[in-house]
Amino acid sequence: MDEDAARKLEALRRRIEAARKAQKPKPPVRRRGFQGAELAWRMIIDLASGIGLGFGMGYGLDSLIGTLPVFTILLTLLGFAAGLRVMKRSADEYQHRQAGESPAEDEADGPSGRDGG
Amino acid sequence: MASEEHQGSFIHPMEQFIVKPLFGDGGDVGTLTITNAALWMLLSVAAVAALTIWGTRGRALVPSRIQSVAELMYGFVRNMVEEVAGKGSMAYFPYIFTLFAFILGANMLSMIPMSFAPTAHFAITVPLALAVFISVTAIGFIKHGIGFLGFFWPKEAPGWLRPFLCLVEIFSYFTRPVSHSIRLGANILAGHAVLKVFAGLFAMMVFGGLGALAVLPLAMMVAMTALEVLVAFLQAYVFAILTCVYLHDALHMH
């Protein structure tokens, strides 16, 4: 009797497991193409805003001190470098995500995994 | 030719972004003037409140449709904060949820014809991005003290490059609020302007006697509207997720 009950329980457990598996929501389908476009768009804005900020700060500084081309050129270049840095970060994040696909990982700085509906 | 130009100009693509006072006879816009921008921001707050407060008033175990939408949104943002911002970030969940919900509400409401898009204005997106920038920087300094400055010191680079790279790091940190606000504002601005351009083209073709060909801009408008709904969601998502990324940097310093 006891053994019978145990067997029944085991069967029930299996059935519940199977039912759960069937009910489990599938991971969301990702729109690869659009996500790529979004990333590219993000990088372009990052780069452009870096250069823009550099140019603006350089030009402002120059017109304050009166050394017109010097800081404009220097800070625009710095802004370009900063923009590249941000771009590289985004690319690293993306690569990380493609390679690992482990969203809970604490090291992974950046938008991991999910791309919502 | 001149008449065509005149007809083409009756839908001006940028006219939709003009901020006007709602009451009075079109006077100046002051600090406390109730403008169309203020109205549509209030409406988006009202929409979010309706969804999250009124929608979940039943507190049913088996949620009603509207309650499950609210729960879905909550769960979605919660997952994002947990995954992206990492440990100890749940304290800032209300802030990120508020940002996401407000931007999503404003973006979606602006898809209603004749409405107004507050998030297309840098006057709205810049304060949002600055608020994130300042609060995240403050969180970094509160959590790590002066050690937060170590975030800008690239330890893995060769020695002689470090000062220069540090400069680049600091600069790229300060470009964050710029790109954060431009991304949202420019996307919404461009989308709505493009929709209006196609609407103007459609009107021009219809009144200019090219009736059958006017199907082309109309089809384009349908496609653009679909894309814009996607962009409206995606930009709210991107704004929120970048906030999470910045928060992660401040909390964990990489």
Side-chain angles (χ1 to χ4, degrees), chain B residues 201-223:
Chain B
L201 199 60
F202 175 73
M204 235 165 89
M205 282 173 139
V206 168
F207 291 107
L210 288 165
L213 271 179
V215 173
L216 292 174
L218 191 66
M220 207 54 208
M221 269 176 77
V222 173

Side-chain angles (χ1 to χ4, degrees), chain B residues 133-208:
Chain B
F133 178 72
I134 292 170
S135 54
V136 162
T137 309
I139 288 167
F141 275 112
I142 289 166
K143 289 266 168 192
H144 303 286
I146 202 76
F148 183 58
L149 289 176
F151 177 67
F152 303 108
W153 192 250
K155 290 169 212 71
E156 65 274 15
W160 54 276
L161 257 178
R162 280 181 200 173
F164 176 70
L165 284 180
C166 176
L167 210 61
V168 170
E169 285 287 345
I170 290 174
F171 205 91
S172 76
Y173 191 76
F174 279 98
T175 62
R176 278 175 173 187
V178 180
S179 60
H180 205 188
S181 57
I182 285 179
R183 185 170 12 250
L184 174 62
N187 267 298
I188 305 297
L189 183 82
H192 284 258
V194 165
L195 273 179
K196 272 281 152 52
V197 166
F198 280 115
L201 199 60
F202 175 73
M204 235 165 89
M205 282 173 139
V206 168
F207 291 107

Side-chain angles (χ1 to χ4, degrees), chain B residues 16 54 95 122 139 182 194 197 201 223 228 233:
Chain B
Q16 56 177 326
W54 177 79
Y95 181 40
F122 294 117
I139 288 167
I182 285 179
V194 165
V197 166
L201 199 60
E228 281 314 305
F233 169 77

Side-chain angles (χ1 to χ4, degrees), chain A residues 34 38 41-42 45-46 49-50 53-54 57 78-79 81-82 85-86 89 103 106 109-112 114-116, chain B residues 76 79 83-84 86-87 168-169 171-172 174-175 178-179 183 187 230 234-235 237-238 241-242 245 248-249 254:
Chain A
F34 194 80
E38 180 55 42
W41 186 217
R42 216 174 103 184
I45 289 179
D46 282 334
S49 61
L53 193 67
M57 274 171 64
L78 186 64
R85 175 80 186 87
V86 179
R89 256 183 92 114
D106 209 21
D109 50 355
S112 40
R114 297 190 52 140
D115 169 33
Chain B
F76 176 69
N79 262 346
E83 282 175 10
V84 179
K87 283 195 289 287
V168 170
E169 285 287 345
F171 205 91
S172 76
F174 279 98
T175 62
V178 180
S179 60
R183 185 170 12 250
N187 267 298
L230 181 67
L234 210 77
Q235 286 310 317
Y237 170 71
V238 166
I241 208 163
L242 281 173
V245 171
H248 179 275
D249 286 347
H254 281 248

Side-chain angles (χ1 to χ4, degrees), chain A residues 52-93:
Chain A
L53 193 67
F55 179 79
M57 274 171 64
Y59 193 78
L61 213 61
D62 271 339
S63 46
L64 266 180
I65 316 174
T67 50
L68 189 57
V70 182
F71 284 107
T72 312
I73 293 170
L74 278 180
L75 284 178
T76 306
L77 284 175
L78 186 64
F80 181 65
L84 282 182
R85 175 80 186 87
V86 179
M87 270 176 90
K88 191 183 166 296
R89 256 183 92 114
S90 308
D92 283 347
E93 275 165 20

